[in-house]
Amino acid sequence: MKNLACIIAAGALSLAAAGAAAQDKPLLGIVSISATEANNVRYIQGATKAADELGWKTNVVDAAGSADQANAAIQNFAQLKAHAIIDMVFPYSSIGAGLAAAGDAGIPVVTWGGGLGSSVAATNGSGGPMAIPVVDLMVKKMDGKGSILALTYRTGEVCRNREVVMDEIVAKHPEITVTKNEVRIPGYFEDGAQYANAWLASHPAGKENLAIWGCWDDPAIGAIGSLRAQGRDDVLVYGINGNAQALENIKNGFMTATAWQDSFTEGYNMVKMLKDIKDAGGAWQAKAAEVPAVLVTKETVDAFLKDHPEAIK
């Protein structure tokens, strides 16, 4: 985390200082939707490691959930004549101004969970496929009936796609009722707890099967705080991404399942691919290069952590 703090601090440098750094080494601009969120942290660390190996300089901008700030950051990187730019989570449809500026400057832009479209050269970390095993398990454990609190976030392409997957799977089970609340970035822990409190008040224990689903781990972890405060152990809780807090909650019996996303490898692979994109020039064909997720439950968490001890560091 200390290394990441240094990287994010670099993102706050003046344009002049960043431009001077770019003259020394090729500049990789990274625009994150939330640069302190655990999964974003791991991606940035993987991307930075690959950039270091290539002799590139990284500069991270935390757009704090704002598409306007993301567009401005990409435009700034274009003015700096960055070597390449990574968009983290913002859908390509919401960064049109940034993509246009980068395109005019001949700078490739890739996305992590932002989708493949417009002038985006490559993507990984797509949200939809990762949600499937978690939602399938949730519906199975509910026996196809009951109520779900879904904690969503529609500004990010990843969460939007995961919500679509949830909707499609749950639609096959008409005896399941879904209540949706959209959380904020920042503020997702607090929102998860607040929405859970309100939902629990109208969903007493013992009446039906109950579950809380977060489109990523953190809102669901916020909800766990409310469950524990109220002594409610009748609600199953599901997240996605597999951050360290989620894995600890699974070990301790407070979360039912998550899908671990190897975002470090996704960041590392994407930067290595950026070198291929730069080398190929106009011959490059846009593509998705996904890293499969791993479903983690109470039954599998110990074996998972034995195989992936880095997941809780």
Side-chain angles (χ1 to χ4, degrees):
M1 293 292 286
K2 185 181 293 184
N3 289 340
L4 179 65
C6 294
I7 296 166
I8 296 172
L13 292 173
S14 68
L15 293 184
Q23 292 175 6
D24 298 330
K25 295 181 178 180
L27 173 63
L28 172 63
I30 301 177
V31 180
S32 171
I33 198 167
S34 177
T36 57
E37 185 274 330
N39 215 32
N40 281 247
V41 168
R42 296 200 302 270
Y43 185 96
I44 293 167
Q45 289 172 337
T48 301
K49 185 176 189 296
D52 288 344
E53 292 175 2
L54 293 170
W56 297 359
K57 169 76 175 181
T58 55
N59 190 333
V60 180
V61 173
D62 188 342
S66 168
D68 288 341
Q69 290 187 44
N71 274 295
I74 296 171
Q75 289 170 318
N76 287 341
F77 283 131
Q79 291 175 13
L80 290 170
K81 297 181 170 54
H83 198 59
I85 300 170
I86 299 176
D87 154 55
M88 297 178 63
V89 181
F90 290 102
Y92 69 84
S93 58
S94 72
I95 55 168
L99 288 173
D104 289 344
I107 301 167
V109 178
V110 297
T111 72
W112 179 56
L116 195 63
S118 184
S119 58
V120 171
T123 193
N124 63 11
S126 299
M130 294 186 62
I132 295 172
V134 172
V135 179
D136 278 344
L137 180 64
M138 177 172 65
V139 169
K140 180 180 179 181
K141 284 188 172 289
M142 295 178 72
D143 293 325
K145 55 189 176 183
S147 293
I148 297 170
L149 170 62
L151 301 170
T152 66
Y153 179 73
R154 298 190 181 105
T155 299
E157 181 80 2
V158 168
C159 268
R160 287 212 309 246
N161 290 342
R162 290 173 180 175
E163 184 180 348
V164 167
V165 166
M166 185 202 65
D167 289 342
E168 291 173 348
I169 294 174
V170 172
K172 300 173 185 176
H173 302 275
E175 292 185 75
I176 293 179
T177 300
V178 179
T179 300
K180 293 184 179 182
N181 289 122
E182 186 170 6
V183 301
R184 300 164 298 166
I185 293 179
Y188 38 80
F189 287 117
E190 297 84 356
D191 286 349
Q194 177 183 340
Y195 290 134
N197 276 329
W199 183 79
L200 289 169
S202 59
H203 293 81
K207 298 293 186 180
E208 58 181 332
N209 298 322
L210 298 174
I212 295 176
W213 176 85
C215 71
W216 84 101
D217 291 321
D218 290 342
I221 291 169
I224 287 172
S226 295
L227 291 171
R228 296 183 66 184
Q230 296 189 31
R232 293 287 296 268
D233 59 3
D234 59 302
V235 182
L236 302 183
V237 182
Y238 300 84
I240 305 174
N241 287 354
N243 69 35
Q245 281 184 281
L247 296 170
E248 288 293 339
N249 273 288
I250 290 174
K251 278 182 65 68
N252 294 327
F254 302 123
M255 181 177 278
T256 309
T258 188
W260 181 68
Q261 181 175 11
D262 188 359
S263 52
F264 182 95
T265 297
E266 289 171 335
Y268 183 90
N269 289 355
M270 184 56 79
V271 173
K272 293 293 186 170
M273 189 183 299
L274 272 168
K275 182 180 184 304
D276 296 336
I277 293 169
K278 294 289 291 187
D279 291 345
W284 177 260
Q285 297 293 316
K287 66 178 182 179
E290 306 295 349
V291 176
V294 179
L295 182 68
V296 183
T297 67
K298 178 74 170 179
E299 293 73 28
T300 65
V301 64
D302 289 335
F304 171 81
L305 291 175
K306 184 177 179 180
D307 292 339
H308 300 281
E310 75 280 4
I312 55 172
K313 293 180 180 178

